[in-house]
Amino acid sequence: MTVKLIRPTPYLTFPVSAYLHRVDIETEDIGATIGTRLTYAGVNGLRRQAVPLVSYRPGTRYADRAEECAVEHLAKALERAELSGRFDFVDFTTLALALADVVQEDGCQLWDPDEDGEW
């Protein structure tokens, strides 16, 4: 029997008005680096349709370091993005564009995981 390492999927939360919004972090070893995908997951733990925000290669070989980078990138992107005060609305386009800019400014490469094989 093969035993695989079981690791919980990490996620980040950020407040808009009185509600917490959730962003899931997925990492995958893709050879010489780690691939990272950030996906908007919903409000206060209530899952809605997942909205992909950004996928990129953070230039690290370690999943835990990639997750730390994702926290830094999301924090910077949220500072730049104009978010609505309504609990049910996050401007995904603005947030996704801000994230793409932040990760590229940090020296990371944007990445399309579908080109390298679907997750």
Side-chain angles (χ1 to χ4, degrees), residues 48-62:
R48 296 195 283 180
Q49 182 178 0
V51 178
L53 295 173
V54 69
S55 296
Y56 61 100
R57 300 172 186 210
T60 180
R61 281 286 303 136
Y62 305 101

Side-chain angles (χ1 to χ4, degrees), residues 93-106:
T93 303
T94 301
L95 184 55
L97 289 173
L99 269 166
D101 287 344
V102 167
V103 298
Q104 290 178 82
E105 288 169 8
D106 195 33

